[in-house]
Amino acid sequence: MVGLRNLLFLVFCITGILLNGIPLFSQNIHQNYFFDDPLSFREDHNWLSTHEMLRIYELTIQFPGEEKSMTTVTLDHNGLPVTEQIAQSDYDWENREPGSITEEFNHIYIMDNLFLRRKTTHIKNAGARPDTLETVEMLVNFFNREQYKSSEGLILVYEFIGETRPASIELFSNENNGKRIELDYRDGWLSSAVEYSMGEEGRNQKIRSATYDYDDHNRPHKAILRIDGEEKRVEITYDRMNKPFKITFYSNGELVEKRLYQYERREKIEIPGLD
């Protein structure tokens, strides 16, 4: 009986690791240093313990005019997004159910040589007559591998500082010459990221850059984004649970965008008899 209980306890522990997504490995992604989407937050691309979350709601308000849109991100048990839905509406937090969905992104993950390939199908006018715009691919580097090449000709090359922190990331495909992201750190924390388009004979052209400031809790609370000659200041505010609930963007001192967040936690799985 004792042996059976020990076996069940071992199964329970292993199941808990799988379902709750304990970060036994790194999840470097080749983009998202520039606040592109609700999950692009810091050097590990995750200000949240996303394995605890079922959904993230991002209410975006554009200024002037206060045009609103709601993005609903549904996550799997590993904290990876599987569906993103965007709806244009005067949503508030009391009405988070999707109404007229204007865009939808569906993600499928495939493990290949310790790289997780994410294929995304982008659907516009997700309703009675949806239009599939494109299918794109990106990579999640689960085990900090230095290089990956897919059968479709997608090549990803990492350079690391130590064992875990990427110093640069290069991405090549059959369609273009590729891009490069160079990363710098200060006191162990990411201080800046610069993205280049890679031309012939090693000539690179800067596309955009970001620099980050941290608060006393080592949380990024300010950033400066520079792209096409425009400079934006970003400010991040956290709630009592250490999760961001507001991100504001300023251009030339004027408020241009505000993002507000709420979170829906995943229900814990309980196994009867294991008390």
Side-chain angles (χ1 to χ4, degrees):
M1 184 65 182
V2 174
L4 179 59
R5 287 182 63 88
N6 289 339
L7 178 61
L8 289 175
F9 179 75
L10 177 61
V11 172
F12 172 74
C13 290
I14 295 175
T15 303
I17 290 174
L18 293 176
L19 294 183
N20 292 303
I22 294 175
L24 301 177
F25 36 70
S26 181
Q27 297 185 22
N28 295 312
I29 304 178
H30 74 250
Q31 58 181 28
N32 294 347
Y33 290 96
F34 306 97
F35 297 84
D36 291 334
D37 61 52
L39 299 178
S40 61
F41 292 141
R42 58 186 297 182
E43 68 271 18
D44 57 3
H45 310 281
N46 188 354
W47 285 346
L48 317 164
S49 297
T50 50
H51 62 273
E52 299 176 355
M53 300 298 162
L54 176 63
R55 292 185 181 89
I56 299 175
Y57 300 93
E58 180 188 67
L59 177 64
T60 300
I61 307 172
Q62 301 281 350
F63 297 92
E66 298 191 18
E67 180 181 348
K68 297 180 181 179
S69 64
M70 176 74 79
T71 300
T72 303
V73 183
T74 301
L75 308 172
D76 66 10
H77 284 285
N78 291 313
L80 296 170
V82 290
T83 302
E84 298 177 49
Q85 294 178 326
I86 302 175
Q88 298 288 338
S89 178
D90 288 333
Y91 275 123
D92 54 39
W93 293 128
E94 303 301 322
N95 178 24
R96 299 188 309 195
E97 294 298 323
S100 177
I101 299 174
T102 58
E103 292 184 88
E104 182 172 304
F105 300 85
N106 295 311
H107 309 300
I108 297 176
Y109 298 90
I110 303 171
M111 183 65 80
D112 183 7
N113 193 26
L114 300 182
F115 272 85
L116 195 64
R117 301 167 60 184
R118 186 176 96 176
K119 291 191 175 182
T120 299
T121 301
H122 180 190
I123 302 174
K124 192 173 182 179
N125 299 325
R129 300 180 61 184
D131 299 322
T132 300
L133 297 184
E134 59 181 344
T135 299
V136 297
E137 182 175 330
M138 67 176 295
L139 300 173
V140 182
N141 186 3
F142 264 84
F143 290 95
N144 287 335
R145 300 297 295 271
E146 294 182 352
Q147 188 165 337
Y148 169 87
K149 182 176 181 179
S150 71
S151 59
E152 292 82 5
L154 184 69
I155 301 175
L156 186 67
V157 180
Y158 276 81
E159 294 178 353
F160 289 100
I161 300 175
E163 296 181 355
T164 59
R165 289 182 296 171
S168 68
I169 306 171
E170 295 182 353
L171 177 69
F172 305 89
S173 66
N174 292 330
E175 288 74 26
N176 54 57
N177 291 322
K179 65 179 181 180
R180 175 182 174 89
I181 298 177
E182 295 182 355
L183 308 169
D184 285 323
Y185 299 84
R186 184 177 65 249
D187 299 326
W189 300 96
L190 182 70
S191 60
S192 66
V194 183
E195 181 178 354
Y196 300 89
S197 63
M198 301 182 67
E200 297 179 355
E201 299 179 358
R203 291 193 298 270
N204 298 337
Q205 180 178 357
K206 182 186 292 188
I207 300 175
R208 54 184 177 172
S209 67
T211 56
Y212 317 96
D213 286 330
Y214 294 82
D215 62 18
D216 293 337
H217 302 284
N218 291 324
R219 303 174 304 193
H221 72 122
K222 291 183 180 179
I224 299 296
L225 305 180
R226 296 179 177 88
I227 179 173
D228 294 333
E230 182 183 6
E231 181 176 291
K232 287 186 178 181
R233 187 177 84 252
V234 185
E235 297 181 357
I236 306 101
T237 307
Y238 296 85
D239 61 19
R240 291 182 298 175
M241 301 301 293
N242 213 29
K243 296 179 176 62
F245 75 89
K246 181 173 66 174
I247 302 178
T248 49
F249 294 77
Y250 299 87
S251 179
N252 298 321
E254 298 290 332
L255 176 64
V256 294
E257 184 176 318
K258 183 186 296 184
R259 301 178 189 175
L260 305 174
Y261 296 89
Q262 283 196 0
Y263 309 93
E264 182 179 342
R265 297 180 67 89
R266 185 179 303 279
E267 293 184 5
K268 293 184 178 180
I269 298 177
E270 298 182 0
I271 300 178
L274 291 175
D275 50 9

